[in-house]
Amino acid sequence: MRIRDPIHGTIHVADGEKAVVDNRFFQRLRHVRQLGFGDLAFPGATHTRHAHSLGAMHAASRLFDSAFQQIAMPADCRERMRQAVRLAVLCHDIGHLPLSHASESIAPLRSALALPEWIPGDRAAQASHEDFSARILLDSELTPVLERVLAPVGVAPAALASLVLGVDPPGGAAFVCGGKDYGPLLRQIVSGELDADRIDYLLRDSLFTGVTYGRYELDWIVENLLPAEIDGRVHLALSKTAIFAFEDFLLSRFHMFVSVYYHHTSVNFDEMLRRYAQDCPGEISIPVDMERFVECDDVWLAWWLRKSQNVWARRIVERKGFKLVAQATGRDKEYDFPVLDQALTDAGLEHFQIDSFGALSKYFAADENGPSLYVVDPATGLRTPIAEYTPLYERYAEAIRLTRLYCRPDQAQ
């Protein structure tokens, strides 16, 4: 199957992958907007997780092919890993809740999903969309479909879930070939400093919001990817000749967060959705039963909001957000939000404050698997962890805090 895409051109989908795309769990993503309430600020931002997931799978193939072109391995190993990373990226967002990140505040506890023990994490914490993705991959009607598709290459759905979650697969041998573990590299393609997810969403979100911040030199970055083997584990690396393109890519994501993903209108409506769920705990909840979850999309949420008489739900439906009266970052020293908050309280004005944090990277620090990306000097072969190579990490080591104060519009003057 061939799909025409406004970002990547033609996207090729193999017959087995088509079976996954046609499954109702993936088709559900047609009704989950990529940017949640983002279209209230950017009217063109009505694109979906469905289109993004297809684009990210295409990007994963480009990253894989570039990084593996210098690796000599048997054809069956290469095909196993390529198929696994394509399907993992295709399904990486399959567990997204309605309006994507907007409804994460009303997610159930991780313990309710009954995830297997090999998946780490606090069961008492709130479930993430990755947790839901893992549950769908491991225990839903999509699971036998994946088993059939993956059987020819000898991979189990659990291996896909491990790539999505960024952990070693159960058994540990799914991505080992010739005594080398390629798991770190594959996980970095799925979720890392330079992953297929970011590769696609920055360009896609930039196009549909009409801003320029998310654009970068994709071809130059892809053409300069390399493998880096360290102690028998193979990691993703970038030639130093593409470091300026990478820094542009990194800043593109940072600027998109500050200007688009944390736009004051989106943040405003996210907070009202949270308050609606808090006010009416028995009225709306994200189902953990997979047969009910497959129907849990933006249309489902809109139905509950329209049905509700809760004041916050009515404001969301009628697009009557609170009015932004003050906003600042940590660099705006003249703002004293506790004083502003107290003044509004003393005046009897209904208001709320929201703090958003825009970080350059969530992969700043190396974990037990090592740095998120290496920079390689092609002339000498020397490898340097990315955080030690570019000064951007030092400059943006701390997240920028965006503080906003909103007031009920009929009270704001």
Side-chain angles (χ1 to χ4, degrees):
M1 180 172 67
R2 293 180 299 173
I3 296 172
R4 292 293 297 170
D5 180 69
I7 304 299
H8 305 289
T10 302
I11 294 175
H12 294 274
V13 181
D15 290 343
E17 294 163 345
K18 183 178 182 297
V20 177
V21 171
D22 287 342
N23 185 271
R24 60 184 182 140
F25 275 91
F26 189 84
Q27 288 297 309
R28 167 185 168 273
L29 298 182
R30 287 185 181 274
H31 307 292
V32 178
R33 275 172 286 175
Q34 173 84 357
L35 296 184
F37 288 117
D39 66 312
L40 297 180
F42 306 95
T46 57
H47 56 301
T48 66
R49 291 279 162 180
H50 177 272
H52 161 62
S53 296
L54 289 166
M57 180 180 70
H58 175 82
S61 295
R62 295 192 63 185
L63 296 176
F64 180 94
D65 292 343
S66 180
F68 275 76
Q69 67 179 342
Q70 298 184 29
I71 297 175
M73 65 167 49
D76 60 331
C77 283
R78 186 181 300 272
E79 179 58 25
R80 179 173 78 249
M81 295 182 193
R82 191 176 192 273
Q83 183 64 90
V85 80
R86 276 177 62 86
L87 284 174
V89 172
L90 179 68
C91 297
H92 79 287
D93 275 350
I94 206 165
H96 254 298
L97 309 183
L99 295 176
S100 293
H101 295 288
S103 58
E104 288 182 343
S105 63
I106 62 175
L109 298 181
R110 297 183 78 237
S111 57
L113 291 178
L115 297 171
E117 290 299 319
W118 62 266
I119 296 178
D122 182 4
R123 269 26 182 194
Q126 205 164 28
S128 66
H129 73 271
E130 290 94 349
D131 293 325
F132 274 94
S133 293
R135 173 66 188 279
I136 293 168
L137 292 173
L138 297 171
D139 186 22
S140 74
E141 70 172 41
L142 181 62
T143 309
V145 176
L146 290 169
E147 289 172 342
R148 290 194 297 271
V149 174
L150 292 167
V153 295
V155 177
L160 301 190
S162 75
L163 291 177
V164 171
L165 295 170
V167 299
D168 287 323
F175 306 121
V176 174
C177 182
K180 300 176 183 178
D181 183 5
Y182 293 89
L185 194 160
L186 298 180
R187 287 192 290 273
Q188 287 161 341
I189 290 176
V190 179
S191 181
E193 196 65 273
L194 192 55
D195 61 31
D197 184 31
R198 292 183 180 184
I199 288 287
D200 182 82
Y201 77 61
L202 287 176
L203 295 174
R204 193 171 301 276
D205 296 347
S206 179
L207 174 67
F208 287 101
T209 56
V211 304
T212 61
Y213 311 117
R215 299 176 187 173
Y216 59 91
E217 292 187 276
L218 171 59
D219 291 344
W220 187 243
I221 289 175
V222 170
E223 291 169 9
N224 282 279
L225 293 177
L226 300 163
E229 182 186 345
I230 299 172
D231 298 327
R233 293 167 69 85
V234 184
H235 301 257
L236 187 64
L238 182 71
S239 168
K240 73 173 187 177
T241 58
I243 194 63
F244 294 133
F246 170 76
E247 289 178 340
D248 184 44
F249 171 82
L250 203 61
L251 283 173
S252 291
R253 177 182 176 274
F254 179 72
H255 292 153
M256 284 291 285
F257 263 91
V258 174
S259 63
V260 174
Y261 305 140
Y262 290 147
H263 190 278
H264 66 84
T265 299
S266 303
V267 170
N268 185 349
F269 279 79
D270 287 352
E271 175 64 14
M272 292 196 297
L273 179 61
R274 188 191 69 80
R275 288 173 177 246
Y276 159 55
Q278 186 178 53
D279 283 359
C280 307
E283 188 168 295
I284 183 172
S285 60
I286 303 297
V288 296
D289 176 74
M290 291 296 99
E291 280 300 306
R292 293 177 56 210
F293 182 81
V294 76
E295 299 177 354
C296 181
D297 56 20
D298 292 5
V299 178
W300 172 89
L301 179 59
W303 184 84
W304 278 107
L305 290 169
R306 290 193 179 102
K307 181 181 176 183
S308 178
Q309 295 304 308
N310 175 266
V311 62
W312 298 110
R314 299 317 309 161
R315 284 193 172 278
I316 294 171
V317 170
E318 297 168 11
R319 199 181 177 274
K320 294 181 178 178
F322 269 37
K323 183 177 178 59
L324 179 68
V325 294
Q327 66 174 336
T329 70
R331 299 167 183 167
D332 296 307
K333 303 300 182 184
E334 69 272 19
Y335 284 86
D336 191 334
F337 280 92
V339 171
L340 290 172
D341 178 79
Q342 189 60 51
L344 292 172
T345 300
D346 293 343
L349 304 182
E350 188 177 0
H351 64 284
F352 54 74
Q353 178 179 316
I354 305 174
D355 292 318
S356 306
F357 296 89
L360 183 71
S361 173
K362 67 178 181 179
Y363 303 104
F364 175 74
D367 59 18
E368 65 274 9
N369 294 313
S372 59
L373 186 70
Y374 283 94
V375 178
V376 174
D377 184 340
T380 64
L382 292 176
R383 299 181 294 252
T384 307
I386 185 65
E388 298 175 16
Y389 195 91
T390 172
L392 281 180
Y393 284 98
E394 183 176 350
R395 180 179 179 184
Y396 293 95
E398 294 184 4
I400 283 187
R401 176 175 176 171
L402 297 168
T403 302
R404 275 82 171 248
L405 202 59
Y406 298 84
C407 186
R408 207 173 79 193
D410 59 306
Q411 296 179 333
Q413 298 295 333

